[in-house]
Amino acid sequence: MISRLVCIDVPDRYRSLACWAVQCLLEPLGVTPKFHGDRSAASTIYYGPQSETANADVTLAFSPTAARMFEDWDSYTLRQVTWREWEGERWPVFFSGEESLPDLVASAALILSGWQEVTTRARDEHGRFRFADSLQDQLGFAQRPVVDAYREWLNEQLVRSGLESKRRRWGRFEWATCVTIDIDYARKWRPGMVFREVVEHLLLNERRVRPVERLKRFRTFVSDVARRGDVYRESLDHILMAMSSRGANATLFVKAGAHGHNDVAYSLGDKQLRERLERAVRNGNEIGVHPSYYASAHAGYMAEERDAVGAFLNTLPDVVRQHYLRYEFPVTLRLHEALGFRIDSSLGFAEHEGFRRGTCLPFRIFDLHANRTTDTWEMPLLVMDGTLFNRRGYSVDEAIEATHSIMNFCKRFGGCCVMLWHEVIRDQMDAPGWDQHFDETLDYAIRQEALVTSLSEALDAWSSST
C-alpha cells in the first residue's frame, strides 16, 4: 500500500464521514490515506473549501450544501443531482462543488453510508428500506456501481498529477464471485407444506389457476411425496457437488432459531442436514449465521443462534446474513459488532438486483448515528434468486442475462459479485429453472476468470493484496 497525506478541511460533524468516504475510495486503489486538517501543510490530496492556502497536488471539489446536509441530518433532494457522461454512460453526481465540478467524496458518502436509508422513514411489511424509495429507482442506476465509477474518476485525477496507484486484486485474480446459500429449510415435505398443497392450492385454489392445472400440480405433489428423498436436500447436494467439481467454495448460511411465522424451525442436529454441512466444511466451504426473523433487533435471539452455530462448528462463526434481509439501523449493525461478526452480507435490495450501496467492493460499514467507522465489513449482496424470479418475474434466460450484466460490472471495476441462492433450486414445482441459472452463472464466473470462493476467503484475498 502507498501512503498519502490527505487534508480534510470540513466542518467537525462531517469530518468523520468524509474521512471514511475518502478511505473507501482510495484503499481499493492501493492508497492508504493519512489524514490531517492543516490546509497550509503539504498534502497529496486536499478536500475542503476552495482556498489559496491549500497546498496539495490534487484538490477535490467540495460542496458546502453536502456538508450542511450531513451536519443537519437532512434528507437528500433530487434538485441537487447532476449527470456526467463517462465511457458512453450517464452517471449521477449528487453534489457539485466549485465550478460545478463533482464532489466525489460527498456523493460517495451519500450512497455508500446508506444515508437515504436512515433518513427515509417508509418501510415495507418486513421493516425493510424499500427499493421504490431509493435514489437507485428514482434515477435508474440500480444496476450500475456508481461509487466505483467515482473511484475511477478520482484515480484519473491522481494519474494526471503523476501519482502512483496500484489496484487491489483478489490474490492472483482481478475480480471475484462469492456463491452464498441461505438454508431456510432442512426439507420440503413437512406438515405446513402438505397443508399448502392440499388445502390452499388444491381445494381453495389460492393460485387462481384452471382445474386441470390444479390437478396436474396435485399429482406431481403426490408423486414427489411418495418417492424416496427430498428435493431440498437434493438441491443442497447439487450445489455442493457443483462447487466441488469446479474447485470452488461457497458460504452456507444456516438457521439456529425460529421465533415467528416467518421462520421455519429446523435442528442443526438433523442427521441429513448435519452430514451435508460436515461434508461442506471438509471440502473448504464456510458456515455462517442466518439469524431468525426477529433477531435483527433482538440481542438475545442473535447471541443464542450464533452460539448454537458455534457449538455445531466448534468455533464461533463470524459471517452473518439477516433472514429476509431485515437490517435495522443502527440496531442490527451494533448487534453484529457486539457479537464479533467480521462480515455481513445483507445489504442488497429484496426487490431488485443491483448495487444498494453503489459498490461491488468490500467496505467497513459506517455507523451514521454514532458518526464512526465500525469493524464490520460489508460484502454487498448484488443478486438473489428470489428477486430475479419472484419479484422481477424474469424467465430463466432473462435472469441469466441480468446476472451476467451485474457480473460484467464487477469484473470491469475489479470487484466481487456476491450472489444468493436458496436450497430450493432443484424444485421444479416452485423454482423451475433456478438450478440452470445457478449452473450457468457459476460457469460464467469461471470462464471470466473470477476467483470463486467463500466470503471470508474472498475478503482475506482482497485485504492482503497490496
Side-chain angles (χ1 to χ4, degrees):
M1 297 284 284
I2 304 166
S3 180
R4 300 292 189 191
L5 287 173
V6 178
C7 178
I8 303 294
D9 183 20
V10 300
D12 289 343
R13 171 68 191 176
Y14 177 37
R15 179 178 172 81
S16 294
L17 181 60
C19 288
W20 171 79
V22 169
Q23 188 171 8
C24 290
L25 290 171
L26 287 178
E27 287 196 339
L29 298 174
V31 176
T32 299
K34 300 295 184 182
F35 295 111
H36 67 90
D38 182 359
R39 73 178 66 173
S40 64
S43 303
T44 300
I45 297 172
Y46 170 80
Y47 176 63
Q50 192 172 26
S51 171
E52 293 182 0
T53 61
N55 181 12
D57 299 309
V58 174
T59 298
L60 300 179
F62 166 76
S63 168
T65 300
R68 286 193 296 271
M69 188 196 79
F70 290 128
E71 280 195 295
D72 297 338
W73 205 257
D74 289 338
S75 58
Y76 181 80
T77 63
L78 288 176
R79 292 190 302 271
Q80 301 165 61
V81 72
T82 59
W83 294 87
R84 178 176 177 180
E85 294 284 340
W86 183 65
E87 294 191 350
E89 297 163 319
R90 295 179 74 240
W91 299 80
V93 175
F94 300 100
F95 301 101
S96 296
E98 297 89 352
E99 301 178 4
S100 298
L101 295 174
D103 184 334
L104 301 180
V105 176
S107 295
L110 176 74
I111 300 299
L112 196 61
S113 71
W115 187 266
Q116 59 177 336
E117 302 171 27
V118 300
T119 58
T120 301
R121 292 188 177 182
R123 294 293 186 265
D124 71 6
E125 68 273 23
H126 299 294
R128 302 174 299 202
F129 176 65
R130 302 184 306 191
F131 177 71
D133 296 318
S134 70
L135 292 169
Q136 284 90 335
D137 186 36
Q138 294 170 54
L139 299 175
F141 67 95
Q143 292 151 309
R144 289 181 292 147
V146 64
V147 173
D148 297 334
Y150 298 158
R151 182 179 297 106
E152 294 301 315
W153 303 351
L154 173 57
N155 193 41
E156 289 172 359
Q157 293 187 51
L158 297 177
V159 171
R160 284 197 298 269
S161 298
L163 299 171
E164 179 185 0
S165 65
K166 184 179 180 182
R167 189 186 308 279
R168 280 187 169 182
R169 294 169 58 92
W170 305 82
R172 62 185 179 86
F173 298 87
E174 293 185 357
W175 72 294
T177 293
C178 285
V179 173
T180 68
I181 311 298
D182 286 4
I183 302 178
D184 289 342
Y185 319 96
R187 59 191 175 93
K188 180 173 185 179
W189 296 123
R190 53 196 188 277
M193 294 293 276
V194 173
F195 177 86
R196 185 194 73 171
E197 293 299 327
V198 176
V199 177
E200 296 178 357
H201 290 346
L202 179 66
L203 300 179
L204 300 180
N205 192 24
E206 292 190 356
R207 296 172 65 240
R208 299 292 185 267
V209 298
R210 295 179 302 164
V212 65
E213 293 181 29
R214 291 158 65 186
L215 291 173
K216 180 180 178 181
R217 182 181 177 94
F218 185 71
R219 284 195 296 269
T220 302
F221 154 69
V222 171
S223 175
D224 201 37
V225 170
R227 74 179 180 86
R228 297 189 57 163
D230 184 273
V231 68
Y232 288 0
R233 291 168 177 165
E234 292 159 0
S235 291
L236 187 52
D237 287 336
H238 175 83
I239 290 167
L240 295 176
M241 288 194 313
M243 300 300 294
S244 179
S245 67
R246 293 165 173 83
N249 295 325
T251 300
L252 310 179
F253 289 101
V254 298
K255 299 191 70 178
H259 301 281
H261 70 277
N262 289 301
D263 296 314
V264 174
Y266 64 79
S267 171
L268 294 176
D270 176 271
K271 181 176 183 295
Q272 297 278 349
L273 179 61
R274 186 183 70 249
E275 290 177 351
R276 287 168 170 82
L277 294 179
E278 289 174 347
R279 183 169 70 250
V281 172
R282 285 196 302 270
N283 289 340
N285 301 283
E286 76 172 339
I287 306 294
V289 183
H290 198 36
S292 58
Y293 185 84
Y294 291 108
S296 60
H298 195 293
Y301 291 164
M302 194 176 294
E304 176 185 303
E305 294 164 28
R306 180 211 58 175
D307 291 348
V309 177
F312 173 80
L313 296 173
N314 293 318
T315 184
L316 286 178
D318 63 358
V319 184
V320 62
R321 170 177 292 135
Q322 294 301 132
H323 190 36
Y324 276 73
L325 305 184
R326 282 167 49 86
Y327 198 111
E328 303 177 39
F329 295 96
V331 177
T332 308
L333 168 60
R334 293 179 183 174
L335 289 180
H336 288 175
E337 268 202 304
L339 292 174
F341 288 115
R342 182 173 71 117
I343 300 172
D344 172 73
S345 188
S346 304
L347 296 180
F349 289 116
E351 311 100 307
H352 204 291
E353 72 279 7
F355 304 88
R356 174 170 167 174
R357 291 298 181 90
T359 185
C360 54
L361 287 167
F363 63 92
R364 291 190 188 274
I365 304 175
F366 193 84
D367 185 339
L368 288 165
H369 296 80
N371 199 29
R372 67 179 181 87
T373 303
T374 71
D375 293 328
T376 304
W377 285 93
E378 183 64 24
M379 297 286 282
L381 173 62
L382 306 182
V383 178
M384 179 168 65
D385 52 10
T387 300
L388 299 174
F389 292 102
N390 296 335
R391 296 298 190 98
R392 300 280 278 157
Y394 285 152
S395 67
V396 175
D397 288 342
E398 289 169 335
I400 291 171
E401 181 181 359
T403 302
H404 287 183
S405 177
I406 297 293
M407 296 173 78
N408 290 341
F409 272 113
C410 294
K411 181 178 180 180
R412 173 179 171 185
F413 288 102
C416 179
C417 189
V418 179
M419 293 179 282
L420 187 169
W421 286 272
H422 294 81
E423 85 299 8
V424 305
I425 64 171
R426 299 282 281 182
D427 182 3
Q428 297 307 310
M429 286 181 65
D430 294 310
W434 293 25
D435 55 345
Q436 180 185 346
H437 172 259
F438 174 82
D439 292 340
E440 295 200 18
T441 299
L442 191 54
D443 287 337
Y444 187 76
I446 292 171
R447 288 198 305 272
Q448 294 299 314
E449 300 181 322
L451 169 66
V452 184
T453 192
S454 65
L455 292 169
S456 290
E457 289 191 357
L459 181 60
D460 289 343
W462 186 78
S463 298
S464 62
S465 174
T466 57

